[in-house]
Amino acid sequence: MNNVKKTKNGYTLVETIFYVSLFAIVSFILLDVLMKMTDLFINTAVRADIVQGSKILENISRELKQGENFTFSSNILTVNTRDEYGNPITLVYTLSGTNIGINDSVLGNLGNLNTPNISVVSFDIDSINTLQSKAAKIYLSIRSNRDVVANVENFQNTIVLRGSY
């Protein structure tokens, strides 16, 4: 007599349920990690937009600091300054819609200060005058267009015009 064992090939129902359950658990974990990574990427992009938007304030502050005089009315800032050779220049910053554009009296229209991912919500300047000098308090509110919550970041700076004292 032959002692040949017959073996069954294939999976049992219990093995199949175990592997399907294991696959489902691993899939849920990977999906959760992927969603968290996507949120982190979006938040990083929004923060980068806000940092880029703060450079608008730096640009305006730098030009005001070098300026001799300025006027501000109805979202238009006009700065009278001089170039490196002492020639007079007028810079005009205009809030139009959600963009701040800059126009130079010598070079013409220089375009927008903000990138397409940044919307300027508000732009305002208060004039501070003393007997010795003139200063400006700048208020700027921006938001990232990638931010689904549409959080607004507020910036402000006080600048003493160098040409005024």
Side-chain angles (χ1 to χ4, degrees):
M1 252 194 167
N2 288 346
N3 288 339
V4 177
K5 270 187 163 179
K6 291 186 178 180
T7 59
K8 294 182 180 179
N9 293 332
Y11 296 106
T12 65
L13 181 59
V14 173
E15 290 174 323
T16 304
I17 291 173
F18 172 76
Y19 290 126
V20 168
S21 300
L22 183 64
F23 176 75
I25 291 170
V26 170
S27 297
F28 285 129
I29 291 171
L30 289 176
L31 184 63
D32 185 51
V33 167
L34 183 63
M35 289 174 55
K36 286 181 181 178
M37 286 177 50
T38 303
D39 286 344
L40 184 62
F41 174 76
I42 290 171
N43 288 338
T44 302
V46 167
R47 295 288 0 144
D49 289 344
I50 298 302
V51 168
Q52 182 67 31
S54 69
K55 293 182 180 183
I56 298 169
L57 183 66
E58 290 177 25
N59 181 297
I60 295 170
S61 298
R62 183 178 55 249
E63 295 300 337
L64 268 172
K65 189 180 289 184
Q66 298 299 323
E68 297 171 351
N69 197 3
F70 76 92
T71 59
F72 181 80
S73 67
S74 62
N75 294 328
I76 298 174
L77 169 65
T78 304
V79 180
N80 299 314
T81 186
R82 296 190 179 273
D83 65 9
E84 61 269 11
Y85 305 110
N87 301 319
I89 297 176
T90 302
L91 298 172
V92 179
Y93 296 89
T94 306
L95 175 61
S96 177
T98 59
N99 296 311
I100 291 186
I102 182 170
N103 196 324
D104 186 316
S105 61
V106 176
L107 301 174
N109 186 3
L110 300 177
N112 293 330
L113 291 178
N114 55 303
T115 64
N117 292 331
I118 300 168
S119 292
V120 178
V121 177
S122 68
F123 174 53
D124 193 19
I125 296 183
D126 290 334
S127 180
I128 304 168
N129 295 313
T130 66
L131 293 175
Q132 288 94 13
S133 63
K134 186 171 186 175
K137 180 88 172 180
I138 307 169
Y139 303 94
L140 182 68
S141 298
I142 62 171
R143 70 175 172 79
S144 171
N145 295 335
R146 297 185 236 206
D147 189 1
V148 294
V149 183
N151 289 323
V152 174
E153 292 286 330
N154 299 307
F155 298 96
Q156 60 182 350
N157 197 4
T158 303
I159 301 298
V160 176
L161 278 69
R162 187 169 290 162
S164 71
Y165 57 86

